[in-house]
Amino acid sequence: MTDAVPRISVVLCAHNEEKRLAACLEKVSFADEIVVVCDKCTDRTEEIAKEFGAKTVIGSWDIEGHRRNRAIEEASGDWIFELDADEHVNEELAIAIRKAVNSGTYDRYLIPVDNYVGKRLVRYGWGASFGTSAVWRLFRKGHKVWGDQRVHPAIKMTGRQGPKLNGALVHFVDRNISDMIRRLDSYTNARAADLRASGNIGTFRHNFRRIFSRFWRCFVSRKGYKEGGMGFLIALLAALFPMISYLKARYDDE
């Protein structure tokens, strides 16, 4: 007898994603199961998810890590592939995912990301809490746990690490520069709440120094300069993220 083919669960957390969800789920035909966690949804997100045969979980979560862990818990597959509504799996990646899972050699894989701002593919300069060029999204169930943070929660990975897969997760990060600035405001609000909850918001001096180190990392080390003005902007917003978060935690009302 041959071993059973491993089952893949695609899991997705969504808040009012009726405009983007269908286009996202159309790209995951390789999945044996789809799980959509509907967080505080007031639109047609759940209805659209069910049209694709998804299992839906309805609730309200303030902590991103808790929401993502719930999605993983609800999945019944041997393997988990995490997805967001603003992401599409390209054909090459879909093939690579199924091949990696069927091989059974490793327990987790790094997924390349193609980030778009509007219609522009931005390859360089991402990182430092404002974007990433690769993510740990494919893993055997039980080998990834999200932390207790509201934004950019820490992750704990276990098991054998596989190579970066071919293909790409196509990520429509922002529609335009105004969206990027709104995202910075949202992220720093959440980070400020995490800082207050931790009881240690840091110091002005420490976060001031980080402005320069983070800008250098994104614009120079990660070659953001190749993207021209867009790379400069990404580096600048990434550099300001810790300082603005600190200032909000220090001065804003909860």
Side-chain angles (χ1 to χ4, degrees), residues 137-152:
R137 294 288 189 83
L138 179 65
F139 53 94
R140 202 184 300 268
K141 190 172 183 181
H143 287 274
K144 181 178 182 179
V145 178
W146 290 87
D148 294 332
Q149 293 78 29
R150 291 170 176 80
V151 63
H152 302 133

Side-chain angles (χ1 to χ4, degrees), residues 40-52:
K40 309 180 191 69
C41 291
T42 57
D43 64 357
R44 296 182 59 248
T45 295
E46 182 184 10
E47 179 183 342
I48 293 169
K50 287 183 174 179
E51 289 174 359
F52 283 85

Side-chain angles (χ1 to χ4, degrees), residues 86-216:
D86 59 356
E87 297 169 339
H88 292 177
V89 177
N90 71 14
E91 185 175 351
E92 185 179 9
L93 178 58
I95 294 171
I97 288 171
R98 177 51 75 180
K99 183 178 179 180
V101 167
N102 289 345
S103 76
T105 307
Y106 302 101
D107 299 304
R108 52 192 171 104
Y109 292 89
L110 195 60
I111 307 297
V113 180
D114 281 348
N115 293 290
Y116 282 82
V117 178
K119 295 181 179 180
R120 174 173 176 166
L121 173 59
V122 181
R123 291 195 178 277
Y124 298 98
W126 296 104
S129 301
F130 204 69
T132 182
S133 58
V135 287
W136 293 104
R137 294 288 189 83
L138 179 65
F139 53 94
R140 202 184 300 268
K141 190 172 183 181
H143 287 274
K144 181 178 182 179
V145 178
W146 290 87
D148 294 332
Q149 293 78 29
R150 291 170 176 80
V151 63
H152 302 133
I155 59 172
K156 180 180 179 181
M157 304 291 300
T158 58
R160 298 162 295 175
Q161 177 178 326
K164 184 185 292 186
L165 296 186
N166 294 326
L169 190 61
V170 181
H171 185 197
F172 300 98
V173 188
D174 299 297
R175 292 172 298 179
N176 48 42
I177 290 174
S178 294
D179 261 4
M180 296 175 73
I181 295 171
R182 281 190 287 268
R183 183 159 61 93
L184 177 67
D185 187 45
S186 175
Y187 280 8
T188 52
N189 284 341
R191 178 58 181 159
D194 281 338
L195 290 173
R196 287 193 294 264
S198 74
N200 179 17
I201 67 171
T203 65
F204 180 90
R205 178 179 296 180
H206 174 66
N207 285 293
F208 183 75
R209 289 199 301 266
R210 294 179 75 189
I211 292 174
F212 303 98
S213 62
R214 288 166 68 95
F215 183 89
W216 180 272

